[in-house]
Amino acid sequence: MAHITGGWNPLGEVFFRKLELYSMDRSWQELAKLEKFKVAAAPYGGPIALVRDESKMTHIPGSTRPTVYIYTSSGREISQFRWNSGKLLDMGWSSSEDLLCIQEDGTVLVYDIFSNFKRNFSLGQEARDTKVLECKIFQGYVGTGLAVLTGSYRFFVINNIEEGHSRKMVEVPDLDSPPSSWCIICRDRHTQILLAKEKRLFLVDYTDVHEQTLTTSSPVNAFIEMAVSFDNRLLALFGDTGLLWTGSSDLQKVYCEFDTKSQKRPKQLAWCGTGAVVGYWENLLLIIGPHKDWISFNMKSEAYLIPEADGLRIVDSATHELLQRVPVVVEEIFNVGSIAPGALLFEASKEFQKKSQKADDYIRMVMAKGDLPLAVDQCIEAAGCEYEPATQRILLKAASFGKCFLTNMSPEKFVNMCKMLRVINSVREYHVGMPLSYEELKRLTLPVLIDRLILRRQWCLAMHISRFLKLPEAEGESRILGHWACYKVLQKHIADETIAQDIKSKLDTAPGIAYSEIAKKASECGRTQLAVKLLEYEPRAAEQVPLLMTMRDQKVALTKAIESGDTDLVYLVLLQMQETMPMGDFLMSLRNQPMAQSLFMQFCREQKPTLLTDLYYQNDDFQEMANCQVADSFKITDFQQKTDKLNGAHDNYTKARNEFAAKATEEQNKLLGYQRRLEDQYKVAYIGKSLHDTMHELISKNMSKLAEQLRKEFKVPDKRFWWLKIDALANSGDWLELERFAKSKKSPIGYEPFVEVCMNHHNKYEANKYIGRVAAENKVKMYIKMGSLEEAADLAFQQRSEDDLNQVMRQCLGNRALTAKIQGMKAQMYSKK
Amino acid sequence: MAATSGSPKFPDFSVLKQLSKEHLVHLLESIPEKKDLVIDPDLMRPLDRIAGAQLLKRHGVDKIFKLESNKLEISGDSRMYLARPSVKNVKNIANQIKGDQENGRRKKYKILFVPRKLYFCEMLLEQEGVYGAVELEDFKLDLIALDRDILSLESPGFFRDYFVEGEHSLLHTIATSIVNLQSLFGTIPHVYGLGRCAKMVWDLVNTLKSLQGEPRAPIRNEIGHLFLIDREADLVTPLCTQTTYEGLLDETFNIRSGYCEFGPEVTGTDKSMRLLLNCEDQIFEDIRDRHISHVFAYLSAQAKMVQTGYQKGRELQNIGDVKSFVQTELKDLKQQYKSLTIHIGACERILNLKTKQINFEEQLQTEHSLLEGINLKECYTYIEEQIDRQVPPDKILRLLCLLSLTQNGLPTKDYQTLETHFLQSHGHKHLLTFSNLRKLGMYTEQPSVEVTKMTAADVRTKLTDKALMKKTAFRMLCKKLNLIPKSGEVNLRNPEDMSYVFSGAFTPLTCKLVEQVLAKGGWAGLDDVTKLLPVPTFAEHKAQSVKGRGSNGHHQVAPSEKVVLVYFLGGCTYAETAALRLLGKMKGYQFIFATTAITNGAALIGSINDGKK
């Protein structure tokens, strides 16, 4: 192996190296004469889009439409499509790897990497009217942003293309021609545009415009190119005199001013990580360090630069290379003559492989200083920085060798690095073509990596990785399978049955699969049958039912909702069905669903009582219909309607073979008739009262005759009538009539009620009239009620009833004389026994 | 509360309150500015048990209103509603919002539906044209801990909704509440169900759990047994007049969400007073389950003790002693004094009602005769007389139902006569009430009379029909389960039999079944009983994975085995809680009660009485 430092180029005190990532696929090599194309490449080793640049074409065949090609970083074609829309101004990639195609009229068309059109959005009326001159895509703090310069020399910015609208930036005064250059700077959750109007610099945002003062060592007429570093902290400006200014992006610090001796505008100006600025002219690549050091490379063919967080990728028609600063650890280990702990350990390991005793010397050197843990760490870290698996391997070997001499070193770092390298190497693989660095993977995170593999339909690799790393199923396997299934349902040439089975068999064991999502996808592309089949597998009714509803499969939806036992879902289906179906059909479909029916009835009871009757009618439930009519008859005030309802109820009760209730409604109707007549005659409200209350009222009002009439008409039993009359008479204070009534014939309920009713009105005088006729066994009780305790005691004594005596005694608390008397009586009774 | 080895530990239900409280605070804070709160009257008291006015104020609630059909004239810029998802509530809310809009007031509205919004709420809001103006959220409040051992959904409407109207909405809430309990206190290994509703709830619990997936970390179960009991399975018990102190308090003063409102006749002042009744009131805790005849004696003894306590204070000479007396004992004494005053007042009131109205004794006597199946003629006459005398309908209905239930239906003639009587007394609107009662099987007609009209084939089917066999089912149940002790046998002062809750006349069927099932480890061996029940039964046992992980090797019964949760679907009475507490004390079980609501005969009958609307 050639020594690793062979490709290192010193730039001041540090080194830069150019690594070949891929030799491009033949299909790329045949097509990609980059000078003829517009190129857009996504960072983090993303895809590359190409389209023929019409402005660079010598002749424009007006009829033909250009083709957009999408390639992997390794030059494998992913897809291509014919551009059918308006004039394509520029292309770029979003952070979710969607291809954004910006038209001259400000419309942005979004495609996925397989050239499927996803959506479009517009940058607003002004852009449409005045045309877009230039546009730049940037990574803002919330997502991918887009900035355009319109024909009216105004800037419009969208901070996140997934949502939100374009906003106008403050106008720059006197900007009456395109700025000589501009760029976007995102700092502190704030998007600004830096633009150069000749040599004047302006910083613009939504609310303000500030002119910036920048003094350069040599005069400049205009800044004609700018570049912001990946992290938005550094800025490079290129002046028309060939001056390259580098400094902080807030223009407060100057790092270096360098004379490139070229007054020609570079084709591309870009940062390589944060360590150097790279300018690209025809045939020449110039790397300029912060201390005016420089390296130059000759370029064989037209190339394109893609800045990354930790380097710069250079792609041309034949190769794909990475330019980066040699990482510090790598430098420390491999630099000639380095005595860093890592370097010594690496040497030791190498000697050990050769079975040389020098290994021991080196190891001792490291251990003597107590630097061995550091040395191991360095080797591990350096392995992560290397692209060549062989190099990774020898570094890891060295680390593992060093670890043997340490007792308490946690293996975690080492194991993790091994795992990560396996993952990285597998995605760098030519077929996948994602040249990620370890640093980038850390930034991107594993779930996003899985996302990107899913996006590339690398199902198998994604599954292997998530299994290998033991990712939780929800973010690993289940998610991948879910996406796979969504993709699967799009394959229209395969039969529904087969797809459903394939999906089921693959997904059966994975937990937490949202079958409803897959079904939704199937439904969206018109495969309703497949969607229904897939929904069968969905265990969560809450997910199942709404989709079934949108697919107009309401019967199934209803059954599922009922099965789930979740009434809310049943409501959802019922109420939607009710809206969309003819009422008759709707009621019909409830017929065999008692649970849904009851639910709907409960809803109707409060919301639409008329519907309720319809439902009962349909079910031939005459009993309930009659009940409704009875309830109505009490609610309505109109007399005629009241009787009509009752008549209806009567008929329905008869149909329900409930003769008893039928007869009761008849009686109620009859009663109503009487009550109406009474109301008409005496202007007193009777309607709504019960028979008992009506009669009571009549007697109280001295209309016993009418009460008598009702009594006969309704065959009121004697007992009730007596109770009722006694109470009514007492209530109206008609003691005379009460007495007359008592004497009219023998009371069927005894005379106790007479006494009681009098006492309830505190009329002892009247009560006395009846006490004589009270049955003997109740007399004592009645005396007590009257408060005639003396008599009560005498009577009880007479009747020889100890219980009664006790009862009397309990009432005469405080009456000592009587108590004594009763005690005397009791004693007498005992003695007689 | 130290858990000794003898008495199993109560699961700590205060966590339920804590969780609900946090959830509520989170919802309140979702409108950060000051807001008015409009509360569904049904939720007022339950809410009191979770969050006091102080807490609401602390989280930005300005004024509090009751949700009614009126328009609201409030100036605040945002308003929050807290309501059950009912058509009536949604309409009232919509009307209030529309009222604001008509007056050109623009406010921020948020409706919190308890325990969750239902689809029709959104639909109605949309129909009323206010959907765009409101934000909806769920306040997932299910079981509220009314006491250390009583959890309630506070949904008294459920009995009617489910058993009369067949409406299943609350089943989901009940099932969720069980799932939630299990996620807090562990999977309950033994489940016994009684009734169709119980079965549906349990199936739903299993569905919900299967969707939820396995719990992240299995929790040690604190509850060993779960009973799910349909109220329908035993309607006799709630209809009987309770004779424990707490039961009578409920029947007389209506305990709602644990609060009891005492009028001036009890407090002895001119003000009414609201008292929270739970185990923290030591005096109440001592008397709640006592038979009413032994409450007063206890209270007066306590009163004497308080008096001596005060006396002691008065006799103190040393300033230091007085100081420590005032600091410690006096506070307790005052607390006890306050509590005693109320309870003595309440007890007096109950006893007064009992003695003053001869009715009460007669009613009890009638109930007991009905339960025992003796003196039926007198009972019938008594009831008839009560109807003729216009005794309030709910009271009569209670007796009518008891009459019918204990005899498994009445002969047609009696059935019709009594109903006619009733209709004459209280109006024909009660045709609807009787229709409800029939649906519930609470007031029914014995089918045998129809025989003459039926064909031979009909007779044969009817004869094998369960309905006919049920004729004597209640009597047989009483005999088989020994529900009715011999009169005078039960010690009411120091009860040893659960029937003391009804003065020794009847053991609540539900409680007896719980006792039997626990003793036999399931329904097996109770076949002759279950076939007499009006509803089906089921049981499910989970194999227990972790056996006593303790250090001592020998097998021992897990403490949770002794903790039993009894979930009443359709309401539970204080008589039942008292009876089971007694059973627990005797057999070393710790019973916990969950219910859709606390109920009693009056509440039960009241909910299906359609005559008053």
Side-chain angles (χ1 to χ4, degrees), chain A residues 457-598:
Chain A
R457 297 181 192 155
Q458 297 282 355
W459 319 109
C460 186
L461 179 59
M463 286 292 277
H464 282 312
I465 290 179
S466 57
R467 277 189 200 143
F468 174 65
L469 295 176
K470 299 197 175 66
L471 293 183
E473 265 148 344
E475 58 186 75
E477 252 176 85
S478 293
R479 194 162 58 104
I480 298 163
L481 285 171
H483 281 283
W484 169 77
C486 284
Y487 167 65
K488 190 83 183 164
V489 298
L490 298 177
Q491 298 178 340
K492 297 211 167 140
H493 57 282
I494 305 174
D496 289 351
E497 193 58 47
T498 328
I499 290 189
Q501 267 167 17
D502 279 3
I503 289 179
K504 177 70 179 160
S505 63
K506 273 239 165 46
L507 274 59
D508 213 13
T509 50
I513 293 278
Y515 282 98
S516 57
E517 285 293 310
I518 306 166
K520 201 163 154 193
K521 198 91 187 174
S523 165
E524 272 167 17
C525 66
R527 304 184 75 165
T528 315
Q529 283 314 308
L530 178 58
V532 173
K533 278 202 180 74
L534 288 169
L535 270 182
E536 288 285 309
Y537 306 133
E538 173 64 59
R540 293 165 302 166
E543 303 292 332
Q544 228 174 2
V545 171
L547 191 55
L548 282 168
M549 290 303 291
T550 60
M551 296 192 307
R552 308 238 154 256
D553 209 334
Q554 297 171 322
K555 284 232 171 74
V556 185
L558 184 60
T559 320
K560 291 277 175 203
I562 292 169
E563 277 170 13
S564 78
D566 184 344
T567 33
D568 188 32
L569 285 177
V570 184
Y571 268 129
L572 172 91
V573 179
L574 281 180
L575 298 179
Q576 287 194 6
M577 276 170 89
Q578 189 210 340
E579 271 176 17
T580 51
M581 283 168 95
M583 193 46 76
D585 295 357
F586 170 64
L587 295 181
M588 226 26 207
S589 58
L590 286 186
R591 235 190 144 136
N592 302 319
Q593 305 283 10
M595 187 261 203
Q597 205 170 44
S598 314

Side-chain angles (χ1 to χ4, degrees), chain A residues 332-343:
Chain A
E332 285 196 332
I333 291 175
F334 291 115
N335 207 1
V336 182
S338 167
I339 51 156

Side-chain angles (χ1 to χ4, degrees), chain B residues 242-262:
Chain B
Q242 311 173 60
T243 55
T244 58
Y245 179 62
E246 192 173 16
L248 277 167
L249 272 185
D250 190 31
E251 303 229 2
T252 323
F253 302 101
N254 229 338
I255 304 174
R256 285 164 68 197
S257 300
Y259 290 106
C260 194
E261 192 102 30
F262 295 107

Side-chain angles (χ1 to χ4, degrees), chain B residues 185-213:
Chain B
F185 303 107
T187 305
I188 305 174
H190 308 287
V191 181
Y192 318 94
L194 181 54
R196 283 172 202 92
C197 182
K199 180 80 181 112
M200 273 193 271
V201 164
W202 188 245
D203 288 346
L204 199 49
V205 167
N206 284 331
T207 315
L208 290 176
K209 280 187 86 173
S210 71
L211 295 183
Q212 210 176 45

